[in-house]
Amino acid sequence: MAKDLYHFINGQRVTGISGRFKDVINPASGEIICQVPLASSNETVMAIEAAAKAFPAWRDTPPLRRARILFRFIDLLNQNLKELSELISAEHGKVIEDAKGSIIRGMEVAEFACGAPHLLKGHFSENVGTRVDSHSIRQPLGVCAGITPFNFPAMVPMWMFPLSIICGNTFILKPSEKAPSTALRLAELMKEAGLPDGVFNVVNGDSEAVNTLLSHPEIAAISFVGSTPVAEHIYKTATANGKRAQALGGAKNHMVIMPDADLDQAVSALMGAAYGAAGERCMAISVVVPVGEQTADALVNKLAPKVRQLKVGPATSPTAEMGPLISTDHVEKVRNYVTIGVHEGATLVVDGRELTNGENGKGSYLGGCLFDHVTTKMRIYQEEIFGPVLVIVRVDDFATALKMINEHEYGNGAAIFTRDGDTARAFSSEVQAGMVGINVPIPVPMAYHSFGGWKRSLFGDLHMHGTEGILFYTKLKTITSRWPTGVRTGNDFHMPTMM
Ligand code: NAD
């Protein structure tokens, strides 16, 4: 009998009482690992109330003391890196080194957050009027919530909670029900690091928990990462309910290869960028745009054999380069896209559907797929597939490549491979995407920069982490003060100016 997971509320493991559970499956073997409780609205409110109760004392805790807890948390993350990586791989399927890398990228946000005493310093102006001073401070919002996807069970939550908490907010995380265990471990490690009860809570669940967070008046802000339809729903509902919101959605990231590019470098970059984590990354390259027929032919010749030789296997296999997809349902969805591509008239150069399943015939595996001669009218070009399927759209010139990217509904990341500075500069200046790579296939910004796309890849104004993260999790207050010796007598009925 698989063990049951729990919620983490007010510093305690809390058994789910809604009576609703979901199996968490190991995608490498098809085995049930555990069952995750799906919180009712009442259980979600318990977490909101715990976070609201913890807020006043946490808000008044000096930032340096808050930062010391995060320093200890980072130590604990390092001590538990192996266990956490294995937990991610077991529920998500990505290979261990990839899982480890994703935890470290999340940990880097916690490291950035340790600079809070500096980051939260305000501004001061002396004599904005005679003997009148002004200062601006950034204050926490209250109870914030994060809703996260299955594909980065540690990193995406860590884009949110370390910054939110360091700013003096309390936090409720609703992780993906497909990969929920890591979030619970992170909450326990925060407690072990010294975080007071109620400051960080994890509620497991589905749309019932999410809808409670979206409508409850005590929730001040919502951070979301997931698919575009859900992101749009979250953003619209949260903002209609008067909450601050940032909702990051899906993607279709293009990589342009100019005729002057180092093709070997571009091809090896593409392999990791398109097929790493089985293409289940919002920054995966899913469209490659070679400029000129010669570039395109040379690209296919170099790329196709590598895609055929991809080593697909469970995360526990030391030779595996690509693990399974998250579920058999998702494999079916991706396989269906491959069939659609064939019907649409694209050339299927490598058919990953030929891969047979894991050793025991179970698990949700799919080999790497490569399409050539794809057009912008095809669904396999327009829609996010979120699997190991790379499509090649051939174009004649740079202007056509740029126009195509700019007309796509998504604008998360975009990359160009070239040796020409002018072309690279024109690309980075004109492309309609939030994150741009020049000879870098997956330009995920470091923790002290901010992560976010444009167009339908992000709803809201502020990106995640970096200084935009600090802005998102705080609100500005500006105080103007005059002391008795500066007070003028008499009534003023006009606007004070410096004239
Ligand atoms: P998803 O949208 O299905 O789920 C994300 C979260 O929303 C989960 O916690 C889920 O429980 C919740 N949810 C799902 N449906 C809901 C509904 N109807 N109402 C309320 N809540 C709901 O996404 P996923 O399949 O877990 O993750 C893959 C998607 O996430 C892809 O589209 C990928 O591009 C995107 N993603 C984006 C980024 C980014 O930074 N832009 C990063 C990672 C993943």
Side-chain angles (χ1 to χ4, degrees), residues 33 49 61-62 70 153 159 212 219 313 367 419:
I33 304 172
E49 285 172 353
T61 303
L70 274 191
W159 284 355
T212 307
I219 299 287
R419 288 187 171 95

Side-chain angles (χ1 to χ4, degrees), residues 255-267 288-299 302 393-402 415-424 427 439:
M255 176 167 139
V256 177
I257 302 182
M258 295 301 292
D260 68 347
D262 179 332
L263 200 57
D264 289 322
Q265 189 194 56
V267 166
V288 56
V289 190
V291 173
E293 286 296 316
Q294 255 185 323
T295 315
D297 291 341
L299 170 71
K302 282 180 187 282
V393 184
R394 297 173 174 230
V395 297
D396 292 335
D397 50 40
F398 171 72
T400 312
L402 186 64
I416 188 167
F417 275 63
T418 180
R419 288 187 171 95
D420 183 73
D422 276 341
T423 311
F427 185 78
N439 299 314

Side-chain angles (χ1 to χ4, degrees), residues 148-151 174 177 207 224-227 249-250 282 384 386 451:
T148 52
F150 77 82
N151 66 330
K174 206 302 284 170
E177 59 275 44
S207 55
F224 172 87
V225 177
S227 58
C282 67
E384 182 184 50
F386 218 56
F451 184 107

Side-chain angles (χ1 to χ4, degrees), residues 62-64 66-67 70-71 110-121 162-163 165-168 470:
L64 194 54
R66 295 183 210 144
L70 274 191
F71 277 118
E111 289 170 332
F112 168 71
C114 288
H118 175 71
L119 298 166
L120 293 170
K121 279 191 311 194
L163 273 184
I165 286 173
I166 205 76
C167 289
I470 297 284

Side-chain angles (χ1 to χ4, degrees), residues 358-387:
E359 291 146 24
N360 52 4
K362 292 190 177 153
S364 39
Y365 294 95
L366 180 67
C369 302
L370 179 66
F371 275 111
D372 194 4
H373 300 290
V374 173
T375 71
T376 55
K377 298 263 183 300
M378 296 179 181
R379 280 183 63 193
I380 55 165
Y381 170 74
Q382 291 168 351
E383 297 172 21
E384 182 184 50
I385 299 174
F386 218 56

Side-chain angles (χ1 to χ4, degrees), residues 147-152 156 159 174-178 205-207 210-211 224-228 230 233-234 248-251 282 384 386 412 451 457:
I147 299 147
T148 52
F150 77 82
N151 66 330
F152 285 105
V156 171
W159 284 355
K174 206 302 284 170
S176 167
E177 59 275 44
K178 293 173 195 156
D206 54 10
S207 55
V210 173
N211 290 334
F224 172 87
V225 177
S227 58
T228 287
V230 184
H233 159 68
I234 299 276
L248 278 59
C282 67
E384 182 184 50
F386 218 56
N412 217 34
F451 184 107
S457 293

